[in-house]
């Protein structure tokens, strides 16, 4: 059972600890600017987010752990006024560093790690055809979609399917079975369907559901006790989800997955559904920066972490300045989530940055990743060479 375990017989890697920026080899003044910038994201009449958590560090040192704003600020969205209806001050819930957030597409990173664990064990071939594992997924089999193409978003599948409009589970599954590529395989098209198909493959291969695979293979060995699929009652609120801006009429959401397809699939999906905290995600970043190990636990071997993070990345995006800022350029890897979440880990500087926000509270807007990129630039400029 290679790839996951307690690491017996191996040297334990350092666990994260809170310490000063200087101990981490980071410039304290630049980190003060980072904290100031992040706090400013929650202020003003129309803030970037109601609430924000930032956790950043270098090596085993967490140099920044800050929370600002509100986990729950609005009761609902008023369409006529185009504004959120604020709760009375006594009813609002402040954001803390322990507040869980709906991770949205950061879930894809965990699905990717679960897949690479099977590749390390030899039970899954990275260039194997999906049809070899899922012969009943006729369209994927007919078009020779491979595991690598799913992990690199080069399968040709379109970005999403309206599974949320399908009344029953059997119908949703049949839509996935029949979905064929809409572009020539090989070209990059970011698609939630890749991770939904990968979820089906992993569950068929292992006989275990994705939530169990992620818990047993990643979050439990790393001690990430706050990371799980919903419901998560104490999470930061997301959207007053209604049509026409949403794809379903669900009303104000807190602790239930925001993504409509993940909701339709029962809350456990390869592309969305996980909730987590900044501290837990810092552990996830640190484990990958340390070659797959954290404390006595190892979730991947170093060669397979390298496979995961080598451009263009398997599940992970690599060197994307639009949300990484100046951290991009030498192999930084990470992802963003529609709800306002992001993480970046940079092997070149041994740094990590987790930014969690509920930018869709009380309703979604055009995505704006400028604050994410600015935070990445602050951290990069803080690195003392």
């Amino acid at each position: 059972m290679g790839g996951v375990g307690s690491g017996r017989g191996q040297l334990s890697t350092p666990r994260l600890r809170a310490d000063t920026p200087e101990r981490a080899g980071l410039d304290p003044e630049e980190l003060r600017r980072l904290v100031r910038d992040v706090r400013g994201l929650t202020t003003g009449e129309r803030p970037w987010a109601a609430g924000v958590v930032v956790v950043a560090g270098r090596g085993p040192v967490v140099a920044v752990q800050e929370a600002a704003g509100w986990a729950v600020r609005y009761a609902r969205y008023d369409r006529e006024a185009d504004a959120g209806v604020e709760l009375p001050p006594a009813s609002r819930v402040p954001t803390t560093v322990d507040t869980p957030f709906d991770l949205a597409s950061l879930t894809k990173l965990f699905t990717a790690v679960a897949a690479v664990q099977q590749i390390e064990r030899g039970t899954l071939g990275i260039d194997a055809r999906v049809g070899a594992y899922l012969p009943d997924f006729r369209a994927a089999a007919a078009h020779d979609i491979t595991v690598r193409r799913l992990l690199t978003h080069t399968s040709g599948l379109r970005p999403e399917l309206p599974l949320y409009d399908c009344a029953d589970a059997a119908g949703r599954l049949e839509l996935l079975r029949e979905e064929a590529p809409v572009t020539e395989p090989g070209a990059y098209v970011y698609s939630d369907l890749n991770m939904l198909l990968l979820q089906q493959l992993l569950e068929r291969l292992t006989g275990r559901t994705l939530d169990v695979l992620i818990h047993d293979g990643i979050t439990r060995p790393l001690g990430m006790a706050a990371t799980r699929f919903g419901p998560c009652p104490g999470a930061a609120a997301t959207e007053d989800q209604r049509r026409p801006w949403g794809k379903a009429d669900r009303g104000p959401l807190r602790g239930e997955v925001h993504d409509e397809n993940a909701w339709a699939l029962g809350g456990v999906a390869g592309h969305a559904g996980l909730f987590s905290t900044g501290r837990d995600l810092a552990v996830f970043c640190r484990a990958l920066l340390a070659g797959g190990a954290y404390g006595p636990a190892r979730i991947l071997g170093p060669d397979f972490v390298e496979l995961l993070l080598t451009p263009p990345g398997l599940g992970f995006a690599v060197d994307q300045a639009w949300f990484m800022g100046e951290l991009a350029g030498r192999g930084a890897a990470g992802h963003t989530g529609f709800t306002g979440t992001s993480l970046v880990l940079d092997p070149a500087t041994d740094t990590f940055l987790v930014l969690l926000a509920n930018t869709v509270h009380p309703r979604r807007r055009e995505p704006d990743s400028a604050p994410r990129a600015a935070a990445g630039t602050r951290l990069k400029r803080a690195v003392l060479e």
Side-chain angles (χ1 to χ4, degrees):
M1 299 290 287
V4 183
S6 64
R8 290 177 188 155
Q10 301 172 353
L11 292 176
S12 179
T13 61
R15 296 179 183 270
L16 287 175
R17 69 179 193 277
D19 213 325
T20 64
E22 293 88 347
R23 294 267 187 183
L26 296 169
D27 177 13
E29 183 57 36
E30 202 63 59
L31 293 188
R32 278 191 285 271
R33 295 188 185 106
L34 168 62
V35 171
R36 179 201 65 199
D37 292 351
V38 167
R39 287 189 172 278
L41 297 175
T42 66
T43 61
E45 186 177 341
R46 289 181 180 265
W48 183 71
V52 178
V53 170
V54 60
V55 181
R58 189 180 190 190
V61 175
V62 176
V64 172
Q65 294 184 87
E66 291 286 337
W70 303 98
V72 185
R73 177 175 176 176
Y74 304 100
R76 60 184 178 86
Y77 171 73
D78 184 336
R79 186 178 181 184
E80 296 300 320
D82 187 27
V85 177
E86 291 194 301
L87 289 163
S91 298
R92 299 176 196 170
V93 180
T95 309
T96 74
V97 294
D98 294 317
T99 298
F101 282 77
D102 181 334
L103 296 188
S105 284
L106 295 194
T107 303
K108 293 180 172 75
L109 304 182
F110 291 81
T111 304
V113 170
V116 173
Q117 287 176 336
Q118 296 301 319
I119 292 167
E120 181 176 20
R121 289 175 175 174
T123 57
L124 181 64
I126 189 169
D127 289 310
R129 295 174 179 178
V130 171
Y133 301 90
L134 297 172
D136 52 321
F137 281 66
R138 297 172 285 276
H143 289 83
D144 292 335
I145 293 176
T146 66
V147 172
R148 188 189 298 272
R149 291 201 190 281
L150 295 180
L151 285 163
T152 56
H153 294 284
T154 56
S155 66
L157 294 170
R158 58 175 155 160
E160 69 166 8
L161 275 171
L163 304 178
Y164 45 82
D165 282 339
C166 197
D168 61 273
R172 291 188 283 272
L173 192 58
E174 189 60 23
L175 282 176
L176 281 174
R177 286 195 181 107
E178 294 296 333
E179 183 64 18
V182 296
T183 62
E184 192 67 27
Y188 179 85
V189 178
Y190 181 80
S191 172
D192 290 346
L193 303 185
N194 290 313
M195 293 302 172
L196 284 173
L197 201 54
L198 190 58
Q199 175 188 2
Q200 293 293 321
L201 190 159
L202 290 173
E203 292 183 345
R204 183 80 59 85
L205 176 69
T206 64
R208 294 185 289 168
T209 56
L210 183 65
D211 55 334
V212 172
L213 287 171
I214 289 175
H215 175 262
D216 291 353
I218 304 172
T219 60
R220 183 171 63 184
L222 295 181
M224 296 171 63
T227 304
R228 61 186 184 276
F229 287 93
C232 184
T238 54
E239 187 174 36
D240 183 359
Q241 191 174 95
R242 289 180 273 146
R243 292 180 172 93
W245 56 87
K247 300 163 189 169
D249 290 302
R250 301 168 61 202
L253 299 176
R254 185 187 184 197
E256 292 184 62
V257 62
H258 174 269
D259 182 271
E260 292 93 341
N261 271 343
W263 164 69
L265 293 167
V268 177
H271 71 292
L274 278 174
F275 290 78
S276 189
T277 64
R279 287 171 169 167
D280 263 22
L281 291 178
V283 170
F284 182 66
C285 290
R286 185 64 214 147
L288 295 175
L289 286 168
Y294 184 76
R298 176 170 292 283
I299 61 168
L300 280 175
D303 291 347
F304 290 88
V305 173
E306 184 178 355
L307 176 68
L308 193 73
L309 304 182
T310 297
L314 301 180
F316 286 75
V318 178
D319 287 333
Q320 299 296 308
W322 62 273
F323 77 91
M324 298 177 180
E326 292 180 9
L327 278 176
R330 293 191 293 171
H335 214 286
T336 64
F338 185 81
T339 49
T341 59
S342 61
L343 68 78
V344 184
L345 53 99
D346 181 27
T349 57
D350 201 22
T351 56
F352 58 88
L353 172 66
V354 177
L355 188 63
L356 301 180
N358 52 351
T359 58
V360 297
H361 182 51
R363 77 156 273 195
R364 68 189 73 187
R365 295 170 290 176
E366 284 297 312
D368 175 15
S369 280
R372 294 164 167 155
T377 294
R378 287 286 186 210
L379 182 58
K380 175 61 171 65
R381 292 179 181 179
V383 173
L384 300 174
E385 299 295 348

